[in-house]
Amino acid sequence: MLKDRIYGFLDRCSPLVPYHLSNPMPVLAGFGIEEFVCVANDSLLYEGEIAAPPTTVGLSVRDAGGVVRYQGRHRIEPEATLRFEVSRFIAPVTGGETGLPAMGSVEISRVADRPGTRGTTRPQITINAADGCCAVHSQAAGPGNVPRWFTCLYRPRDERCFISIMNASDKPLKGAMSYPLGVEGVEAKAHPIALPPHGTGLHEITLDPEEAARLGGAPLTFKTLHDRPNKAHILCASPDLRRFSIDHI
């Protein structure tokens, strides 16, 4: 096709530009949780070519206060896979008195030896809990001062829902989560969130009985708004925290 030939010509003429691949992800610890970073360098679905050249993965694990607890570089050869436990660097909450897992974050960077196809190297995290495991792929942080909306079900007898917020900047973050939105007769409450540079927070979504009654079985809508680059995830857990599911917002 003409368009393909034009694009091919432009690609051959254009200079190579390095792209910074750095993705922050939440880290949970305690309650028997093990969390791993997984990066595959396979040629699956890339027949006749290597999905990516030899690649170096950098990991920086920080606690909730943004203090670095581990830094390391891991080289992944073609057709190899990295699986590295990051939760062991986050100290569980003593006694579990908060009823919440301990939180931290891991920043995952990738640098290839040479230009190539990096299709299968997108990092994943897996969260292994006592009664099951879950996984989600990583993404770059989003800009600050951009509202983000999300909808979930509110079923406190069946599951607990949490929102993790990671400050992806080297400056303090301020913001809030507001919910429930769009419920007749209920004014949304703003739940302030303040994080130190590269800090991480975990907020559990809760409603008082009147709010829950007015919501009924309808989905609950909430909004997050923070003044620094950040990344948010939603985690749904069984009431005893023995099973988790995670997705990015």
Side-chain angles (χ1 to χ4, degrees):
M1 294 177 60
L2 177 60
K3 184 169 74 171
D4 291 338
R5 292 198 298 270
I6 292 174
Y7 284 156
F9 172 77
L10 293 175
D11 284 342
R12 291 191 297 273
C13 295
S14 301
L16 294 175
V17 177
Y19 188 79
H20 182 59
L21 298 171
S22 181
N23 299 4
M25 298 294 284
V27 177
L28 279 70
F31 295 93
I33 294 169
E34 295 177 329
E35 182 172 324
F36 295 84
V37 168
C38 301
V39 186
N41 196 2
D42 297 330
S43 55
L44 178 67
L45 302 181
Y46 291 85
E47 312 219 348
E49 62 177 308
I50 296 174
T55 298
T56 299
V57 174
L59 299 177
S60 295
V61 181
R62 297 181 172 92
D63 62 19
V67 177
V68 175
R69 298 300 182 185
Y70 169 81
Q71 277 189 322
R73 295 166 67 83
H74 305 262
R75 186 173 174 82
I76 311 177
E77 298 294 336
E79 308 303 334
T81 300
L82 170 69
R83 185 173 184 267
F84 186 84
E85 185 182 354
V86 290
S87 54
R88 59 193 168 110
F89 301 105
I90 305 299
V93 178
T94 303
E97 63 270 10
T98 66
L100 300 177
M103 286 297 299
S105 67
V106 56
E107 185 174 359
I108 310 166
S109 63
R110 285 170 287 159
V111 178
D113 282 7
R114 59 180 182 273
T117 304
R118 60 181 173 88
T120 64
T121 63
R122 172 179 279 189
Q124 309 262 338
I125 60 167
T126 62
I127 300 173
N128 298 343
D131 289 343
C133 66
C134 62
V136 68
H137 65 81
S138 61
Q139 289 185 327
N145 294 313
V146 175
R148 296 176 177 86
W149 286 267
F150 197 79
T151 299
C152 67
L153 296 176
Y154 184 69
R155 303 176 296 186
R157 292 184 180 180
D158 301 318
E159 64 184 5
R160 298 167 66 180
C161 288
F162 306 91
I163 306 299
S164 69
I165 303 290
M166 291 173 290
N167 181 3
S169 77
D170 56 4
K171 296 181 180 180
L173 172 148
K174 292 183 180 180
M177 286 186 51
S178 300
Y179 64 86
L181 300 173
V183 178
E184 185 176 356
V186 177
E187 183 176 353
K189 295 178 182 176
H191 302 266
I193 293 177
L195 297 173
H198 297 289
T200 304
L202 188 67
H203 174 83
E204 183 169 8
I205 295 176
T206 58
L207 299 176
D208 64 35
E210 182 180 351
E211 292 172 334
R214 287 186 175 272
L215 179 68
L220 182 150
T221 301
F222 61 86
K223 178 181 73 173
T224 68
L225 179 61
H226 310 283
D227 62 353
R228 301 292 181 193
N230 64 89
K231 191 63 189 173
H233 288 78
I234 183 167
L235 298 107
C236 296
S238 57
D240 56 7
L241 303 182
R242 293 175 61 89
R243 186 172 61 252
F244 281 85
S245 177
I246 184 172
D247 203 356
H248 52 77
I249 296 177

